[in-house]
Amino acid sequence: MKILKTLYVGMAMTAAAVSLTSCQADMDAPALEEPKATMEANTTISELKTAFADKTVMCPMKDEAAQTPYIIHGRVVSSDATGNIYKSIVIQDETAAIALSVNQGSTYTDYRIGQDVVLNVTGLYIGYYNGLQQIGWLGDPYDGQPQLGFMPWSFFLEHSELNGFPNPDVEYVGQNAAWPSENPYCVVTSFGQLPSAGEEFRNMQSQLVEFRNVYFEEGGKETYAPYQESVNRTLKDANGGSIIVRTSGYSNFYNEMIPEGTGNVRGILSYYGDAWQLLLRGLGDVMITEKGQKNDPYTVEEAMEVENQGASGWVKAYIVGSVKAGVNTVTSNADVIFGAEAEMDNNILIAASPDETDWTKCLAVELPQGSAFRESVNLLDNPGVLKKSILVRGNLATFLGMPGVTGNGGTASDVEVEGVTIGGGDTPTPGPEGEIPAGVGTQESPYNVTQIKAATADAAGVWVEGYVVGYAADKTWDSAVFGTTPSDGDNYKNATNVILSMVAPPAANASNSAPIGLKNTGDVRTTLGISKNPSIYGARVKVKGDMKKYFGMMSVRDVTEYVIVSGGGDTPTPPEPPVGDETTIYSSLEASLTAIPSDWTIDNVTLPSGKTELWSWKEYNGKGYLNATGYGATSDGLAYAITPLIDLSGYKSAKVSFRHAAKFQTTIKDLCGLVVRENGSSSWTELTIPTWPTAGAWTFVDSGEMDLTAFAGKKIQVAFKYGCSAAGADQWEINDLKITGTK
């Protein structure tokens, strides 16, 4: 529906009606003239962004000889009607989006959502304001670097033209889909999909996006913002990912309570410093209700309406049947069984009526393998649950070709069935090949791997049981090694994780296993890490850690406690490396960490005025790093992040390396660095870092190796030195510190 066109036509018809009742009834009302741009785009937004990546300059001619300017076009997707978006107009074409920084308010009256705008960029500035690429005018420098500011409104009017009537029909597309040009579009994405570098990163900046199945951390507790104060609110997803929602205390909804519950949230995807943030255009962008909460569950009909829209929650219904064996996609009643004569134990059908016999009015519910839910409720083993009422929580998505409920945790906290105790009675008998039974997350009754992978929310301090079957050689699940023998090129010294499986070797594989992150505390890594203790392979263990996303899936990380149930043998003493072979002496700051290691020391020699710290631990897209910044410093600062004592006794040579990133660089190479000192000394020796990151992006690079042979045979500490001043306070990101040596 072309709402704006209808509005214009309606205005014209009203004017005509008035004229007919006046004394000048013989005169026709003038028709509303549709604006037509005289300029034609010759460059896409993506091409423009790429041509001026990492620059802040006045845009030149595209062809100096022919005096051809850079001309782009795009449809407006932003609105400052509510006051939450300030002096900015965001446009997008079929390749990318970009923010236009203008010194004017209430632009929504003429630049409505869906309005096509043609812009001559030559003569305007294109560049960055604290990481966000946009078009505007030259502003005040930051950290010695030029920054974008607002262009005068008169300049914008001189350089732009409206083209046609607004087309407000928004099309929803996936991040990798073809983006339309004839109407605005909204990119449906997730926190984990947001890029961090390159062309895709530039193109996603300023796009209209929608995150599904998300909730506000402050839901039901806080308003969107205090009066006349801009604040950050946190939007989270079921995997523990999050994004900042930046909200202005000058908006007309600042004092509204943030809704509690799960749903979809839209907005303009902005960027500030080193992180994505979302800008709401108004309350219409927040589509969160309490529907689906346990006190207000979905009906079957309501669940079908939001299928595959990212919704999740509780559904209330009755158990009426199951899908037949061998059926992957239900297409008729012939593919299902209404009644208790089930052929499979991995699903049930639920409906609004206990007597339903029409498959199109049912939901298919996935019963997780090895779970208490499957054991207690599947009709093959429990025919008595037929026609009982059920309250079940999960994702409302297609299952076996039907509207369904998937991703259930499989425990008593995720499902209730009339007259049935989920997981009650005797301890379930392990399945084939010693399969681990489901539990409730305690040491006495730990979760199994299937339950952990199906979880939809973070949880601290849970126990999980499984068989030790391998390790991830790198920081991805694709690098999983099932066994104790390293494959060519992998990092066999990686004891930061272990793979647990539902079943013992050799039946373990990626589908029935998960990576478990081991915290560098006590003897956790030396006992459970296969590279440290190969005899642990095949052992059945219980481990305690935090349930959260790890290597791209729900798992358990930061394990601090363990119990060896069976197998594993004695914990061996790590063998001495052969003379002449290089070995890892010390490693730390792994990207899987969630905090600065507890045995590190932060020495704040001098803090800039108003600062309480310079070093901290940050995490982005599931990867952590040691972070130093003195952003906004008006005076000098100096702080060290120091390792514990490292013993180089018996080593003839040693070297150190790490990975790091720094997008904005002014004084970083002069004031920051890596230093080392001998035990008992108070003075530091600075090392020369061979490779520094390329400015302009948060891309991690290897530092290159630095020689520590002068300290061989001694005990040392290594430290990262961070300095800043009013002339420069760059941000430095560091991880994967490693010291190796040869005896």
Side-chain angles (χ1 to χ4, degrees):
M1 180 190 302
K2 304 298 186 286
I3 298 173
L4 268 279
K5 283 189 177 182
T6 304
L7 176 61
Y8 290 135
V9 173
M11 291 168 59
M13 292 178 65
T14 301
V18 170
S19 70
L20 289 174
T21 59
S22 68
C23 60
Q24 300 182 18
D26 57 329
M27 297 179 62
D28 292 331
L32 190 64
E33 185 175 351
E34 183 174 9
K36 295 288 186 182
T38 60
M39 298 185 294
E40 185 174 341
N42 59 17
T43 307
T44 68
I45 294 177
S46 178
E47 290 169 343
L48 183 74
K49 283 186 156 188
T50 298
F52 297 97
D54 305 323
K55 300 176 184 177
T56 296
V57 296
M58 180 178 284
C59 185
M61 287 286 181
K62 185 173 184 178
D63 185 331
E64 191 67 37
Q67 287 292 285
T68 303
Y70 279 94
I71 301 176
I72 61 172
H73 91 99
R75 294 196 177 273
V76 176
V77 291
S78 63
S79 173
D80 62 359
T82 67
N84 196 49
I85 293 178
Y86 181 67
K87 294 187 177 182
S88 179
I89 300 172
V90 180
I91 62 173
Q92 58 179 203
D93 68 4
E94 63 276 16
T95 67
I98 195 164
L100 313 177
S101 183
V102 296
N103 195 14
Q104 179 74 12
S106 299
T107 59
Y108 73 95
T109 57
D110 294 308
Y111 295 86
R112 300 176 182 272
I113 292 176
Q115 175 64 60
D116 191 39
V117 178
V118 184
L119 182 70
N120 178 356
V121 187
T122 296
L124 301 176
Y125 275 84
I126 180 168
Y128 294 83
Y129 177 76
N130 213 343
L132 179 68
Q133 192 177 23
Q134 52 193 293
I135 297 170
W137 201 248
L138 197 61
D140 295 331
Y142 172 73
D143 269 359
Q145 300 296 315
Q147 296 284 303
L148 253 288
F150 301 120
M151 74 177 85
W153 183 240
S154 59
F155 282 25
F156 175 71
L157 295 179
E158 290 170 4
H159 283 254
S160 66
E161 294 177 329
L162 301 179
N163 188 43
F165 291 119
N167 176 359
D169 294 344
V170 174
E171 181 175 337
Y172 290 86
V173 298
Q175 189 164 324
N176 297 319
W179 296 344
S181 58
E182 296 306 314
N183 56 290
Y185 56 91
C186 183
V187 182
V188 179
T189 185
S190 64
F191 304 146
Q193 289 181 296
L194 296 181
S196 58
E199 182 180 13
E200 187 181 6
F201 169 74
R202 291 191 297 271
N203 291 347
M204 278 300 289
Q205 282 196 358
S206 298
Q207 289 283 8
L208 176 64
V209 297
E210 181 172 304
F211 299 108
R212 294 178 172 178
N213 192 22
V214 293
Y215 64 95
F216 277 99
E217 192 171 58
E218 301 85 0
K221 304 171 187 175
E222 302 278 357
T223 60
Y224 282 95
Y227 178 56
Q228 294 187 353
E229 181 181 346
S230 294
V231 297
N232 295 338
R233 300 305 190 202
T234 303
L235 194 66
K236 303 191 75 172
D237 64 15
N239 294 321
S242 64
I243 192 173
I244 289 170
V245 178
R246 186 71 174 171
T247 311
S248 170
Y250 291 90
S251 67
N252 64 10
F253 60 88
Y254 75 91
N255 62 342
E256 294 286 340
M257 183 64 70
I258 298 174
E260 185 176 6
T262 302
N264 303 340
V265 176
R266 282 190 304 255
I268 301 298
L269 185 63
S270 190
Y271 195 81
Y272 187 82
D274 63 349
W276 293 105
Q277 57 181 225
L278 192 67
L279 304 179
L280 302 176
R281 298 170 300 173
L283 289 182
D285 281 341
V286 180
M287 296 159 284
I288 289 177
T289 70
E290 291 193 9
K291 173 56 68 177
Q293 300 297 301
K294 195 170 184 180
N295 61 348
D296 187 17
Y298 289 103
T299 65
V300 170
E301 184 179 3
E302 289 169 337
M304 288 180 174
E305 289 176 355
V306 296
E307 178 200 4
N308 295 328
Q309 293 183 17
S312 67
W314 292 87
V315 180
K316 188 170 185 179
Y318 294 91
I319 300 171
V320 297
S322 59
V323 176
K324 288 182 177 180
V327 175
N328 295 318
T329 303
V330 177
T331 59
S332 71
N333 267 16
D335 295 326
V336 304
I337 301 170
F338 287 103
E341 300 298 323
E343 296 176 353
M344 295 292 293
D345 67 352
N346 66 346
N347 73 88
I348 56 173
L349 297 183
I350 63 174
S353 165
D355 300 314
E356 186 59 65
T357 57
D358 182 350
W359 75 277
T360 64
K361 297 180 180 179
C362 299
L363 297 175
V365 181
E366 180 183 19
L367 306 183
Q369 181 182 5
S371 69
F373 184 14
R374 178 184 288 195
E375 181 205 6
S376 303
V377 182
N378 81 84
L379 283 164
L380 187 64
D381 301 317
N382 306 279
V385 300
L386 183 69
K387 298 191 177 183
K388 287 186 178 292
S389 64
I390 182 172
L391 188 62
V392 58
R393 177 170 59 184
N395 301 321
L396 306 182
T398 301
F399 178 55
L400 297 176
M402 294 177 59
V405 180
T406 67
N408 182 276
T411 70
S413 62
D414 302 297
V415 63
E416 295 178 6
V417 177
E418 176 191 353
V420 176
T421 300
I422 306 298
D426 298 331
T427 302
T429 302
E433 300 185 59
E435 186 174 288
I436 305 293
V440 295
T442 64
Q443 183 175 345
E444 296 74 22
S445 179
Y447 290 130
N448 64 25
V449 169
T450 298
Q451 290 177 280
I452 292 293
K453 293 173 74 172
T456 58
D458 293 356
V462 303
W463 284 84
V464 59
E465 185 173 1
Y467 293 94
V468 176
V469 297
Y471 65 99
D474 202 352
K475 297 178 178 64
T476 66
W477 188 227
D478 290 338
S479 69
V481 176
F482 289 89
T484 60
T485 304
S487 58
D488 291 341
D490 80 21
N491 181 9
Y492 183 55
K493 300 300 181 184
N494 189 351
T496 64
N497 68 81
V498 68
I499 296 175
L500 295 189
S501 177
M502 288 286 294
V503 296
N509 55 49
S511 66
N512 55 29
S513 305
I516 305 295
L518 306 178
K519 195 172 179 67
N520 190 14
T521 184
D523 64 350
V524 170
R525 289 185 176 177
T526 57
T527 300
L528 298 179
I530 283 182
S531 66
K532 303 289 187 182
N533 180 17
S535 67
I536 196 68
Y537 178 71
R540 183 167 174 168
V541 301
K542 298 178 182 180
V543 298
K544 181 184 179 182
D546 296 333
M547 186 162 63
K548 57 177 63 177
K549 199 170 185 181
Y550 187 51
F551 290 177
M553 68 180 74
M554 279 302 280
S555 192
V556 170
R557 54 194 290 183
D558 296 332
V559 166
T560 56
E561 297 180 45
Y562 66 88
V563 173
I564 299 177
V565 179
S566 62
D570 296 328
T571 302
T573 302
E576 288 290 326
V579 174
D581 281 6
E582 184 177 274
T583 184
T584 298
I585 304 170
Y586 178 79
S587 63
S588 188
L589 305 183
E590 296 90 350
S592 59
L593 295 178
T594 57
I596 298 175
S598 59
D599 53 0
W600 280 57
T601 304
I602 303 299
D603 181 11
N604 292 312
V605 178
T606 305
L607 287 174
S609 177
K611 297 290 183 181
T612 59
E613 66 176 13
L614 292 173
W615 288 103
S616 62
W617 189 262
K618 300 288 187 181
E619 188 173 348
Y620 182 72
N621 276 350
K623 293 186 178 181
Y625 53 87
L626 185 64
N627 181 79
T629 179
Y631 173 74
T634 57
S635 60
D636 293 350
L638 177 63
Y640 293 86
I642 309 170
T643 68
L645 208 60
I646 300 166
D647 192 355
L648 301 186
S649 299
Y651 287 89
K652 294 181 178 180
S653 65
K655 52 193 176 184
V656 59
S657 64
F658 59 93
R659 290 175 59 78
H660 58 156
K663 182 174 182 178
F664 305 105
Q665 300 183 20
T666 53
T667 59
I668 187 170
K669 296 180 184 179
D670 298 323
L671 301 182
C672 306
L674 185 69
V675 295
V676 60
R677 69 183 177 191
E678 188 177 347
N679 184 30
S681 174
S682 59
S683 62
W684 294 99
T685 299
E686 186 144 3
L687 304 174
T688 299
I689 298 174
T691 304
W692 284 88
T694 301
W698 294 114
T699 302
F700 275 80
V701 300
D702 291 322
S703 66
E705 295 179 335
M706 290 150 275
D707 190 19
L708 295 175
T709 301
F711 296 91
K714 303 174 182 179
K715 294 182 179 180
I716 64 168
Q717 286 180 297
V718 172
F720 291 98
K721 181 185 77 172
Y722 177 79
C724 63
S725 67
D730 303 327
Q731 181 168 315
W732 195 17
E733 301 178 352
I734 302 159
N735 60 22
D736 287 350
L737 173 69
K738 181 183 292 186
I739 296 176
T740 59
T742 303
K743 289 198 171 185

